[in-house]
Coordinates of all heavy atoms in Angstrom, one line a residue:
L10 N 130.6 155.6 113.0 CA 129.2 155.3 113.0 C 128.5 155.9 114.2 O 129.0 155.9 115.3 CB 129.0 153.8 113.1 CG 129.5 153.0 111.9 CD1 129.4 151.5 112.2 CD2 128.7 153.4 110.7
M11 N 127.3 156.4 114.0 CA 126.6 157.1 115.1 C 125.6 156.0 115.7 O 125.1 155.2 115.0 CB 125.8 158.2 114.6 CG 126.6 159.4 114.0 SD 125.6 160.7 113.5 CE 124.8 161.3 115.0
A12 N 125.5 156.1 117.0 CA 124.6 155.2 117.7 C 123.1 155.7 117.4 O 122.9 156.9 117.4 CB 124.9 155.2 119.2
R13 N 122.2 154.7 117.3 CA 120.8 155.1 117.1 C 120.3 155.6 118.4 O 120.6 155.1 119.5 CB 120.0 153.8 116.7 CG 120.2 153.5 115.3 CD 119.1 152.5 114.9 NE 119.7 151.3 114.5 CZ 119.1 150.1 114.3 NH1 117.9 150.0 114.6 NH2 119.8 149.0 113.9
P14 N 119.4 156.6 118.3 CA 118.8 157.1 119.5 C 117.8 156.1 120.1 O 117.2 155.3 119.4 CB 118.0 158.4 119.1 CG 117.8 158.2 117.6 CD 119.0 157.4 117.1
K15 N 117.8 156.0 121.4 CA 116.9 155.1 122.1 C 115.4 155.5 121.9 O 115.1 156.7 122.0 CB 117.2 155.0 123.6 CG 118.6 154.3 123.8 CD 118.8 154.2 125.3 CE 120.2 153.6 125.5 NZ 120.5 153.5 127.0
P16 N 114.5 154.5 121.7 CA 113.1 154.9 121.7 C 112.7 155.4 123.0 O 113.2 155.0 124.1 CB 112.4 153.6 121.3 CG 113.4 152.5 121.7 CD 114.7 153.1 121.6
P17 N 111.7 156.3 123.0 CA 111.2 156.8 124.3 C 110.6 155.7 125.2 O 110.0 154.8 124.7 CB 110.1 157.9 123.9 CG 109.7 157.4 122.5 CD 110.9 156.8 121.9
L18 N 110.8 155.9 126.5 CA 110.2 154.9 127.4 C 108.7 155.0 127.5 O 108.0 154.0 127.8 CB 110.9 155.0 128.8 CG 112.4 154.7 128.9 CD1 112.9 155.0 130.3 CD2 112.6 153.3 128.5
V19 N 108.2 156.1 127.3 CA 106.8 156.4 127.4 C 106.2 156.6 126.0 O 106.8 157.3 125.2 CB 106.5 157.6 128.3 CG1 105.0 157.9 128.4 CG2 107.1 157.5 129.7
L20 N 105.1 155.9 125.8 CA 104.4 156.1 124.5 C 103.8 157.5 124.3 O 103.5 158.1 125.3 CB 103.3 155.1 124.3 CG 103.7 153.6 124.2 CD1 102.5 152.8 124.2 CD2 104.5 153.4 123.0
A21 N 103.7 158.0 123.1 CA 103.1 159.2 122.9 C 101.6 159.1 123.3 O 101.0 158.1 123.3 CB 103.1 159.6 121.4
R22 N 101.1 160.2 123.8 CA 99.7 160.2 124.4 C 98.7 159.7 123.4 O 97.8 159.0 123.7 CB 99.4 161.6 124.9 CG 98.1 161.7 125.6 CD 97.8 163.0 126.2 NE 98.7 163.2 127.3 CZ 98.8 164.2 128.1 NH1 98.0 165.3 127.8 NH2 99.6 164.3 129.0
A23 N 98.8 160.2 122.1 CA 97.8 159.8 121.1 C 97.9 158.3 120.8 O 96.9 157.6 120.7 CB 98.0 160.6 119.8
S24 N 99.1 157.8 120.7 CA 99.3 156.4 120.5 C 98.8 155.5 121.6 O 98.1 154.5 121.4 CB 100.8 156.1 120.3 OG 101.0 154.7 120.1
Y25 N 99.0 156.0 122.8 CA 98.5 155.3 124.0 C 97.0 155.2 124.0 O 96.4 154.2 124.2 CB 99.0 155.9 125.3 CG 98.5 155.3 126.5 CD1 99.1 154.1 127.0 CD2 97.4 155.9 127.2 CE1 98.6 153.5 128.2 CE2 97.0 155.3 128.4 CZ 97.5 154.1 128.9 OH 97.1 153.5 130.0
R26 N 96.4 156.4 123.7 CA 94.9 156.4 123.7 C 94.3 155.5 122.6 O 93.3 154.9 122.8 CB 94.4 157.9 123.5 CG 94.6 158.7 124.8 CD 94.1 160.1 124.6 NE 94.3 160.8 125.8 CZ 94.2 162.1 125.9 NH1 93.9 162.8 124.8 NH2 94.4 162.8 127.0
M27 N 95.0 155.5 121.4 CA 94.5 154.7 120.3 C 94.6 153.2 120.7 O 93.7 152.4 120.4 CB 95.3 154.9 119.1 CG 95.0 156.2 118.4 SD 93.2 156.4 118.0 CE 93.0 155.0 117.0
R28 N 95.6 152.8 121.4 CA 95.7 151.4 121.8 C 94.7 151.0 122.8 O 94.1 150.0 122.7 CB 97.1 151.1 122.4 CG 98.2 151.1 121.4 CD 99.5 150.8 122.1 NE 100.6 150.9 121.1 CZ 101.7 150.1 121.1 NH1 101.8 149.3 122.0 NH2 102.6 150.3 120.2
R29 N 94.4 151.9 123.7 CA 93.3 151.7 124.7 C 91.9 151.6 124.0 O 91.1 150.8 124.4 CB 93.3 152.7 125.8 CG 94.6 152.7 126.7 CD 94.9 151.5 127.5 NE 95.3 150.3 126.8 CZ 96.6 150.1 126.5 NH1 97.5 150.9 126.8 NH2 96.9 149.0 125.8
L30 N 91.7 152.5 123.1 CA 90.5 152.5 122.3 C 90.3 151.2 121.5 O 89.2 150.6 121.5 CB 90.4 153.7 121.4 CG 89.1 154.0 120.7 CD1 88.0 154.2 121.7 CD2 89.2 155.2 119.8
R31 N 91.4 150.7 120.9 CA 91.3 149.4 120.2 C 91.0 148.3 121.2 O 90.2 147.4 120.9 CB 92.6 149.2 119.5 CG 92.8 149.9 118.2 CD 94.0 149.5 117.5 NE 94.5 150.5 116.6 CZ 95.6 151.1 116.7 NH1 96.5 150.8 117.5 NH2 95.9 152.1 115.9
D32 N 91.6 148.3 122.4 CA 91.4 147.3 123.4 C 89.9 147.3 123.8 O 89.3 146.3 123.9 CB 92.3 147.5 124.6 CG 93.7 147.2 124.3 OD1 94.0 146.6 123.3 OD2 94.6 147.7 125.1
A33 N 89.4 148.5 124.0 CA 88.0 148.6 124.4 C 87.0 148.2 123.3 O 86.0 147.5 123.6 CB 87.6 150.1 124.8
A34 N 87.4 148.5 122.1 CA 86.6 148.0 120.9 C 86.6 146.5 120.8 O 85.6 145.9 120.5 CB 87.1 148.6 119.6
R35 N 87.7 145.9 121.1 CA 87.8 144.4 121.1 C 87.0 143.8 122.2 O 86.5 142.7 122.1 CB 89.3 144.0 121.2 CG 90.1 144.2 120.0 CD 91.5 143.8 120.2 NE 92.3 144.1 119.0 CZ 93.4 144.7 119.0 NH1 94.0 145.1 120.2 NH2 94.1 145.0 117.9
L36 N 86.9 144.4 123.4 CA 86.1 143.9 124.5 C 84.6 144.2 124.4 O 83.8 143.5 125.1 CB 86.6 144.5 125.8 CG 87.9 144.0 126.3 CD1 88.3 144.7 127.6 CD2 87.8 142.5 126.6
L37 N 84.2 145.1 123.5 CA 82.8 145.5 123.4 C 81.9 144.3 123.1 O 80.8 144.1 123.8 CB 82.6 146.6 122.4 CG 81.2 147.2 122.3 CD1 80.9 147.8 123.6 CD2 81.1 148.2 121.2
P38 N 82.2 143.4 122.2 CA 81.3 142.2 121.9 C 81.2 141.3 123.1 O 80.1 140.8 123.4 CB 82.0 141.5 120.8 CG 82.9 142.5 120.1 CD 83.3 143.4 121.2
I39 N 82.3 141.1 123.9 CA 82.2 140.3 125.1 C 81.3 140.9 126.2 O 80.5 140.2 126.8 CB 83.7 140.0 125.6 CG1 84.5 139.3 124.5 CG2 83.6 139.3 126.9 CD1 85.9 139.2 124.8
V40 N 81.5 142.2 126.4 CA 80.7 142.9 127.4 C 79.3 142.9 126.9 O 78.3 142.7 127.7 CB 81.2 144.3 127.6 CG1 80.3 145.2 128.4 CG2 82.6 144.3 128.2
G41 N 79.0 143.1 125.6 CA 77.6 143.1 125.1 C 77.0 141.8 125.3 O 75.8 141.7 125.7
A42 N 77.7 140.7 125.0 CA 77.1 139.3 125.1 C 76.8 139.1 126.6 O 75.7 138.5 126.9 CB 78.1 138.3 124.6
F43 N 77.7 139.5 127.5 CA 77.4 139.3 128.9 C 76.2 140.1 129.4 O 75.3 139.5 130.1 CB 78.6 139.7 129.8 CG 78.4 139.7 131.3 CD1 78.3 138.5 131.9 CD2 78.1 140.9 132.0 CE1 78.0 138.4 133.3 CE2 77.9 140.8 133.3 CZ 77.8 139.6 134.0
L44 N 76.1 141.3 128.9 CA 74.9 142.1 129.3 C 73.6 141.6 128.7 O 72.6 141.7 129.4 CB 75.1 143.6 128.9 CG 76.1 144.4 129.6 CD1 76.3 145.7 129.0 CD2 75.7 144.5 131.1
L45 N 73.7 141.0 127.5 CA 72.4 140.4 126.9 C 72.1 139.1 127.6 O 70.9 138.7 127.6 CB 72.6 140.3 125.4 CG 72.7 141.6 124.7 CD1 73.0 141.3 123.2 CD2 71.5 142.4 124.8
I46 N 73.0 138.4 128.1 CA 72.8 137.1 128.7 C 72.4 137.2 130.2 O 71.7 136.4 130.8 CB 74.0 136.1 128.6 CG1 74.1 135.8 127.1 CG2 73.8 134.9 129.4 CD1 75.4 135.0 126.8
L47 N 72.8 138.4 130.8 CA 72.6 138.6 132.2 C 71.1 138.4 132.7 O 70.9 137.7 133.7 CB 73.0 140.0 132.5 CG 73.1 140.4 134.0 CD1 74.1 139.5 134.7 CD2 73.4 141.9 134.1
P48 N 70.1 138.8 132.0 CA 68.7 138.5 132.5 C 68.4 137.0 132.7 O 67.6 136.6 133.5 CB 67.8 139.1 131.4 CG 68.6 140.2 130.8 CD 70.0 139.6 130.8
T49 N 69.0 136.1 131.9 CA 68.8 134.7 132.1 C 69.4 134.2 133.4 O 68.9 133.2 133.9 CB 69.4 133.9 130.9 OG1 70.8 134.1 130.8 CG2 68.7 134.3 129.6
L50 N 70.4 134.9 133.9 CA 70.9 134.5 135.2 C 70.1 134.9 136.4 O 70.3 134.5 137.5 CB 72.3 135.1 135.3 CG 73.3 134.7 134.2 CD1 74.6 135.5 134.4 CD2 73.6 133.2 134.2
W51 N 69.1 135.9 136.1 CA 68.3 136.4 137.2 C 67.2 135.4 137.6 O 66.6 135.5 138.7 CB 67.7 137.7 136.8 CG 68.7 138.8 136.7 CD1 69.9 138.9 137.3 CD2 68.6 140.0 136.0 NE1 70.5 140.1 137.0 CE2 69.7 140.8 136.2 CE3 67.5 140.5 135.2 CZ2 69.9 142.0 135.6 CZ3 67.7 141.8 134.6 CH2 68.9 142.5 134.8
V52 N 66.8 134.5 136.7 CA 65.6 133.7 136.9 C 66.0 132.6 137.9 O 67.1 132.1 137.9 CB 65.1 133.0 135.6 CG1 64.5 134.1 134.7 CG2 66.1 132.2 134.9
A53 N 65.1 132.3 138.8 CA 65.4 131.3 139.9 C 65.1 129.9 139.5 O 65.8 129.0 139.8 CB 64.6 131.7 141.1
D54 N 64.0 129.7 138.7 CA 63.5 128.3 138.4 C 64.1 127.8 137.1 O 63.8 126.6 136.7 CB 62.0 128.2 138.4 CG 61.4 129.2 137.4 OD1 62.1 130.0 136.8 OD2 60.1 129.2 137.3
G55 N 64.9 128.6 136.4 CA 65.5 128.1 135.1 C 64.7 128.3 133.9 O 65.1 128.1 132.8
T56 N 63.4 128.8 134.0 CA 62.6 129.0 132.9 C 62.7 130.5 132.5 O 62.7 131.4 133.4 CB 61.1 128.6 133.1 OG1 60.6 129.4 134.2 CG2 61.0 127.2 133.4
I57 N 62.7 130.8 131.2 CA 62.8 132.1 130.8 C 61.4 132.7 130.4 O 60.8 132.1 129.6 CB 63.8 132.3 129.6 CG1 65.2 131.8 130.0 CG2 63.8 133.7 129.1 CD1 66.1 131.7 128.8
H58 N 61.0 133.7 131.1 CA 59.8 134.4 130.7 C 60.1 135.8 130.2 O 60.6 136.6 130.9 CB 58.9 134.5 132.0 CG 58.6 133.2 132.7 ND1 57.7 132.3 132.1 CD2 59.1 132.6 133.8 CE1 57.7 131.2 132.9 NE2 58.5 131.4 133.9
M59 N 59.7 136.0 129.0 CA 60.0 137.3 128.4 C 58.9 138.3 128.8 O 57.7 138.1 128.4 CB 60.1 137.2 126.9 CG 61.3 136.5 126.4 SD 62.8 137.2 126.8 CE 62.9 138.6 125.7
T60 N 59.2 139.2 129.6 CA 58.3 140.2 130.1 C 58.6 141.5 129.4 O 59.6 141.7 128.7 CB 58.3 140.4 131.6 OG1 59.6 140.9 131.9 CG2 58.0 139.1 132.3
A61 N 57.7 142.5 129.5 CA 58.0 143.8 128.9 C 59.3 144.4 129.4 O 60.0 145.0 128.7 CB 56.8 144.7 129.1
S62 N 59.5 144.3 130.7 CA 60.7 144.9 131.2 C 62.0 144.2 130.7 O 63.0 144.8 130.5 CB 60.7 144.8 132.8 OG 60.7 143.5 133.2
D63 N 61.9 142.9 130.4 CA 63.0 142.2 129.8 C 63.3 142.7 128.4 O 64.5 142.9 128.0 CB 62.8 140.6 129.7 CG 62.8 140.0 131.1 OD1 63.4 140.6 132.0 OD2 62.1 138.9 131.2
L64 N 62.2 142.9 127.6 CA 62.4 143.5 126.3 C 62.9 144.9 126.3 O 63.8 145.2 125.5 CB 61.1 143.4 125.5 CG 60.6 142.0 125.1 CD1 59.2 142.1 124.5 CD2 61.6 141.4 124.2
I65 N 62.5 145.7 127.2 CA 63.0 147.0 127.4 C 64.5 147.0 127.7 O 65.3 147.7 127.1 CB 62.2 147.8 128.4 CG1 60.8 148.1 127.9 CG2 62.9 149.1 128.8 CD1 59.9 148.7 128.9
Y66 N 64.9 146.1 128.6 CA 66.3 145.9 129.0 C 67.1 145.5 127.8 O 68.1 146.1 127.5 CB 66.4 144.9 130.1 CG 67.9 144.5 130.4 CD1 68.6 145.4 131.2 CD2 68.5 143.4 129.8 CE1 70.0 145.1 131.5 CE2 69.8 143.1 130.1 CZ 70.5 143.9 130.9 OH 71.9 143.6 131.1
F67 N 66.6 144.5 127.0 CA 67.3 144.0 125.8 C 67.6 145.1 124.8 O 68.7 145.3 124.4 CB 66.5 142.9 125.2 CG 67.1 142.4 123.9 CD1 68.2 141.5 124.0 CD2 66.6 142.8 122.7 CE1 68.7 141.0 122.8 CE2 67.2 142.3 121.5 CZ 68.3 141.4 121.6
F68 N 66.5 145.9 124.5 CA 66.7 146.9 123.4 C 67.5 148.1 124.0 O 68.1 148.8 123.2 CB 65.3 147.3 122.9 CG 64.8 146.3 121.9 CD1 63.7 145.5 122.3 CD2 65.4 146.1 120.7 CE1 63.2 144.6 121.4 CE2 64.9 145.2 119.8 CZ 63.8 144.4 120.2
T69 N 67.4 148.4 125.3 CA 68.2 149.5 125.8 C 69.7 149.1 125.8 O 70.5 149.9 125.3 CB 67.8 149.7 127.3 OG1 66.4 150.1 127.3 CG2 68.6 150.8 127.9
V70 N 70.0 147.9 126.1 CA 71.4 147.4 126.0 C 71.9 147.4 124.6 O 73.0 147.9 124.2 CB 71.6 146.0 126.6 CG1 72.9 145.4 126.3 CG2 71.4 146.1 128.1
W71 N 71.0 146.9 123.7 CA 71.4 146.9 122.2 C 71.6 148.3 121.7 O 72.6 148.5 121.0 CB 70.2 146.2 121.5 CG 70.4 146.3 120.0 CD1 71.2 145.5 119.2 CD2 69.8 147.2 119.1 NE1 71.1 145.8 117.9 CE2 70.2 146.8 117.8 CE3 68.8 148.2 119.3 CZ2 69.8 147.5 116.7 CZ3 68.4 148.9 118.1 CH2 68.9 148.5 116.9
L72 N 70.7 149.3 122.1 CA 70.9 150.6 121.6 C 72.2 151.2 122.1 O 73.0 151.9 121.4 CB 69.7 151.5 122.0 CG 69.8 153.0 121.7 CD1 69.8 153.1 120.2 CD2 68.7 153.7 122.3
H73 N 72.5 151.0 123.4 CA 73.8 151.5 124.0 C 75.0 150.9 123.3 O 76.0 151.6 123.1 CB 73.8 151.3 125.5 CG 73.0 152.3 126.2 ND1 71.6 152.1 126.5 CD2 73.3 153.5 126.7 CE1 71.1 153.2 127.1 NE2 72.1 154.0 127.3
L74 N 74.9 149.6 123.0 CA 76.0 149.0 122.3 C 76.3 149.6 120.9 O 77.4 149.8 120.5 CB 75.8 147.4 122.2 CG 75.9 146.6 123.5 CD1 75.5 145.2 123.2 CD2 77.4 146.7 124.0
V75 N 75.2 149.9 120.2 CA 75.3 150.5 118.9 C 75.9 151.9 119.0 O 76.8 152.2 118.2 CB 73.9 150.6 118.2 CG1 74.0 151.4 117.0 CG2 73.4 149.2 117.9
I76 N 75.5 152.6 120.0 CA 76.0 154.0 120.2 C 77.5 153.9 120.5 O 78.3 154.7 120.0 CB 75.2 154.8 121.2 CG1 73.8 155.0 120.7 CG2 75.9 156.0 121.7 CD1 72.8 155.6 121.7
V77 N 77.9 153.1 121.5 CA 79.3 152.9 121.9 C 80.1 152.5 120.7 O 81.2 153.0 120.5 CB 79.4 152.0 123.1 CG1 80.9 151.7 123.4 CG2 78.8 152.6 124.3
A78 N 79.6 151.5 119.9 CA 80.4 151.1 118.8 C 80.6 152.2 117.7 O 81.7 152.3 117.1 CB 79.7 149.9 118.1
A79 N 79.6 153.0 117.6 CA 79.7 154.2 116.6 C 80.8 155.2 117.1 O 81.6 155.7 116.4 CB 78.4 154.8 116.5
V80 N 80.8 155.4 118.4 CA 81.8 156.3 119.0 C 83.2 155.7 118.9 O 84.1 156.5 118.5 CB 81.4 156.6 120.5 CG1 82.6 157.4 121.2 CG2 80.1 157.4 120.6
F81 N 83.3 154.5 119.2 CA 84.6 153.8 119.0 C 85.1 153.9 117.5 O 86.2 154.1 117.2 CB 84.6 152.3 119.4 CG 84.6 152.2 120.9 CD1 84.4 150.9 121.5 CD2 84.8 153.2 121.8 CE1 84.4 150.7 122.8 CE2 84.8 153.0 123.2 CZ 84.6 151.8 123.7
S82 N 84.1 153.6 116.6 CA 84.5 153.6 115.2 C 85.0 155.0 114.8 O 85.9 155.1 114.0 CB 83.2 153.2 114.4 OG 83.5 153.4 113.0
R83 N 84.3 156.0 115.2 CA 84.7 157.4 114.9 C 86.1 157.7 115.4 O 86.9 158.3 114.7 CB 83.7 158.4 115.4 CG 84.1 159.8 115.1 CD 83.0 160.8 115.4 NE 81.9 160.6 114.5 CZ 80.6 161.0 114.7 NH1 80.3 161.5 115.8 NH2 79.7 160.8 113.8
G84 N 86.3 157.3 116.7 CA 87.6 157.5 117.3 C 88.7 156.7 116.6 O 89.8 157.3 116.4
L85 N 88.4 155.5 116.2 CA 89.4 154.7 115.5 C 89.7 155.3 114.1 O 90.9 155.2 113.6 CB 89.0 153.3 115.4 CG 89.0 152.5 116.8 CD1 88.3 151.2 116.6 CD2 90.4 152.3 117.3
R86 N 88.7 155.8 113.4 CA 88.9 156.4 112.1 C 89.8 157.6 112.2 O 90.7 157.8 111.4 CB 87.6 156.8 111.4 CG 87.2 155.7 110.4 CD 86.0 156.2 109.6 NE 84.8 155.9 110.4 CZ 83.8 156.7 110.7 NH1 83.8 157.9 110.3 NH2 82.8 156.3 111.4
K87 N 89.6 158.5 113.2 CA 90.4 159.6 113.4 C 91.9 159.2 113.8 O 92.8 159.8 113.3 CB 89.9 160.5 114.6 CG 88.6 161.3 114.2 CD 88.2 162.1 115.4 CE 86.9 162.8 115.1 NZ 86.4 163.6 116.2
G88 N 92.0 158.1 114.5 CA 93.3 157.6 114.9 C 94.1 157.1 113.7 O 95.3 157.3 113.6
E89 N 93.4 156.5 112.7 CA 94.0 156.0 111.5 C 94.5 157.2 110.7 O 95.6 157.1 110.1 CB 93.1 155.2 110.7 CG 92.8 153.8 111.2 CD 91.8 153.0 110.4 OE1 91.3 153.6 109.4 OE2 91.5 151.9 110.8
R90 N 93.8 158.3 110.7 CA 94.2 159.5 109.9 C 95.5 160.1 110.6 O 96.4 160.5 109.9 CB 93.1 160.5 109.9 CG 92.1 160.2 108.9 CD 91.2 161.4 108.7 NE 89.8 160.9 108.8 CZ 88.9 161.4 109.6 NH1 89.1 162.4 110.3 NH2 87.7 160.8 109.6
I91 N 95.5 160.1 111.9 CA 96.7 160.6 112.6 C 97.9 159.7 112.3 O 99.0 160.2 112.1 CB 96.4 160.7 114.1 CG1 95.4 161.8 114.4 CG2 97.7 161.0 114.9 CD1 94.9 161.8 115.8
D92 N 97.7 158.4 112.4 CA 98.8 157.4 112.1 C 99.3 157.6 110.7 O 100.5 157.6 110.4 CB 98.4 156.0 112.3 CG 98.1 155.6 113.7 OD1 98.7 156.4 114.6 OD2 97.5 154.6 114.0
E93 N 98.4 157.9 109.7 CA 98.9 158.0 108.3 C 99.7 159.3 108.2 O 100.6 159.4 107.4 CB 97.6 158.1 107.4 CG 97.0 156.7 107.2 CD 95.7 156.8 106.4 OE1 95.3 157.9 106.0 OE2 95.1 155.7 106.2
E94 N 99.3 160.4 108.9 CA 100.0 161.7 108.8 C 101.4 161.6 109.4 O 102.3 162.2 109.0 CB 99.2 162.7 109.5 CG 97.9 163.1 108.8 CD 97.0 164.1 109.6 OE1 97.5 164.5 110.7 OE2 95.9 164.4 109.1
E95 N 101.5 160.7 110.4 CA 102.8 160.6 111.1 C 103.8 159.8 110.2 O 105.0 160.0 110.3 CB 102.7 159.9 112.4 CG 102.0 160.7 113.5 CD 101.9 160.0 114.8 OE1 102.2 158.8 114.8 OE2 101.4 160.6 115.8
D96 N 103.3 158.9 109.3 CA 104.2 158.1 108.5 C 104.8 158.9 107.3 O 105.0 159.8 107.0 CB 103.4 156.9 107.9 CG 103.1 155.9 108.9 OD1 103.7 155.9 110.0 OD2 102.2 155.1 108.6

């Protein structure tokens, strides 16, 4: 009987990047929620006043979250194709 070859100690570069991308995609909603709640932490008296700058901040964060999610989605789709080709 032949001994099985040992698995490599280091992950393949593509596999490692895909895992990190999945981790980042899982953290995106948490980071997004924190960024959207952040302006409520800036008020001193506890009352929330929606100003134009608050709305600009809200929609800017929202737009960036959408863009980052789209980039992550594209990268994860490419990674799934690579995984399917390896199988």
Side-chain angles (χ1 to χ4, degrees):
L10 295 171
M11 296 180 66
R13 281 195 243 167
K15 292 182 181 180
L18 294 175
V19 179
L20 293 174
R22 185 174 290 181
S24 175
Y25 177 79
R26 287 183 180 164
M27 285 306 302
R28 287 180 185 216
R29 297 295 76 84
L30 187 59
R31 282 187 204 119
D32 292 342
R35 288 181 183 130
L36 284 176
L37 188 63
I39 296 166
V40 171
F43 174 74
L44 289 174
L45 292 174
I46 293 172
L47 191 61
T49 61
L50 301 175
W51 292 337
V52 295
D54 58 357
T56 59
I57 299 173
H58 302 286
M59 292 298 286
T60 62
S62 61
D63 291 335
L64 289 175
I65 291 170
Y66 173 82
F67 176 81
F68 284 109
T69 302
V70 168
W71 174 77
L72 178 65
H73 283 88
L74 288 171
V75 169
I76 292 169
V77 170
V80 170
F81 284 174
S82 174
R83 180 173 290 159
L85 289 171
R86 261 189 273 129
K87 286 181 183 178
E89 286 177 0
R90 282 190 231 128
I91 292 171
D92 289 342
E93 288 174 359
E94 290 173 4
E95 289 177 358
D96 290 343

